[in-house]
Amino acid sequence: MNLDWSQIVPYIPFMLEGIWVTLQFVIVSIVFGFIIGTVLALFKIGSLKPLRLFADVYTSMFRGTPLILQLMIIYLAVPQLTGYDISPFLSAVLAFGLNSSAYVSEIIRAGISAVDKGQTEAAMALGVPYRQMMIDIILPQALKNILPALMNEFITLTKESAIVSTIGYLDLMRRGQVVGANLYRNFEPLLFVGLIYWGLVMVLSLLGKWVERRLSKGD
Amino acid sequence: MINVEHLYKSFGKNEVLKDISIEIKQGEVVSVIGPSGSGKSTFLRCINLLETPTEGNITVASVDLTDKKTNVTKAREKIGMVFQHFHLFPHLTVLENLTYAPLKVKRISRAEAEEKGLALLERVGLSDKQDAYPSSLSGGQKQRVAIARALAMEPDLMLFDEPTSALDPEMVKEVLDVMKDLAESGMTMLVVTHEMGFAREVADRVIFLDQGLLIEEGEPHTFFNNPQSDRAKDFLDKIL
């Protein structure tokens, strides 16, 4: 055993900064993915065939290829095609957001189908227009049912976000590697960022439990 | 109030309603009875277009619902419906269930919606439950809230789809009492029911469906004591 924690002390602020860098694009990706995912889910349950087809093909493409490949295509291949020099941040948000939306759309679709059909009928019988019914009656009930699955997706996204280290984005993971390379010691910095990831996920889980409790007030 | 002409409804190859025609006047209370699978629920659901008729015309309060140009969502505001399984909104309180549609569809003020909601809760005897969630109510209470929710839109007529069939026996009366009170207030009502007592006492008219056909209709006293068709006789023999 030759562990020496004192060596990473000067690098701690540098690594801690990575928390914010990671959180920044993870939060944007989650929100972006959730919005697109909701729209895709509505396409999937809607009556317009072209939209349904689009959503299905979209989902199968983003679920059927590796996330790291999608990230590389957006960061490396798109500039070659368009000449637009895309930033690592935008690439990351696009890759993670679009990828996550495919999973989220399936979760939400399942959640909507699980809401009792009578709820739709009751709302229709009261003369509530479709859009309003979805927003006020169906989605709140669907969200309650799918919260654990949704939380799972957000946790996965938070951890998988480490993949952006491959495009040179200075996130938490990348910072751990940088410190390891500087010190020629990898165990301490990697364990350190590992603990931070774990802490982040714990906070997310607790947040999920809290929301779940709040939503179950009608039970 | 309701005018149904030559209504047909099929689910795939299965013909559920065959050439039903009937006229229901303002303030009339009509009970629809018949064996299970006779199409009585489908008939009721056609009247607010929860089921789309395959053929035929339905006019409610001088609005032709089967005309493609009719805004069905708008027309439904005037047609209250009560379901067998209540279908209250579980994430809203009792009072919110009552005020939701008036607020969001009719766009009346919150104060007015709540005032009307509370008055309706009092009418169905549930004033003390305004802040409760549906899951904490008994079946009979849920159904009374469901009736109040439909009434909150101030409909021209009310459809009841087996409103007491999912209730424990001791709760049937409280719901029927509310319906009786409603009938006495002059509401036009179309009630699919297995409660022959209600059909006999409250209804102005009984219509009997079997295998998608309107077999017999008439004033309750005559229908129950002296049914004309064999099928109605057979049905009444089984249940009375």
Side-chain angles (χ1 to χ4, degrees), chain A residues 44-58:
Chain A
K44 284 177 186 176
I45 59 157
S47 50
L48 289 172
K49 232 184 176 150
L51 294 183
R52 235 170 30 215
L53 192 70
F54 168 78
D56 283 342
V57 172
Y58 179 98

Side-chain angles (χ1 to χ4, degrees), chain A residues 116-119 121-129 132-133 136-137 140-141 217-219, chain B residues 45 48 50 73 76-77 79 81 83 87-91 100-101 104-105 133 135 149 153:
Chain A
D116 181 8
K117 207 167 159 282
Q119 293 291 311
E121 293 188 347
M124 279 165 73
L126 286 166
V128 182
Q132 198 107 49
M133 169 180 89
D136 296 332
I137 306 294
Q141 295 184 53
K217 61 186 175 180
D219 298 342
Chain B
R45 291 161 58 84
N48 65 358
L50 282 183
T73 306
R76 286 194 184 116
E77 290 176 29
I79 308 173
M81 176 136 184
F83 300 87
H87 301 326
L88 294 177
F89 304 132
H91 59 305
Y100 172 72
K104 293 294 175 87
V105 178
Y133 281 95
S135 57
R149 176 178 69 175
M153 287 298 281

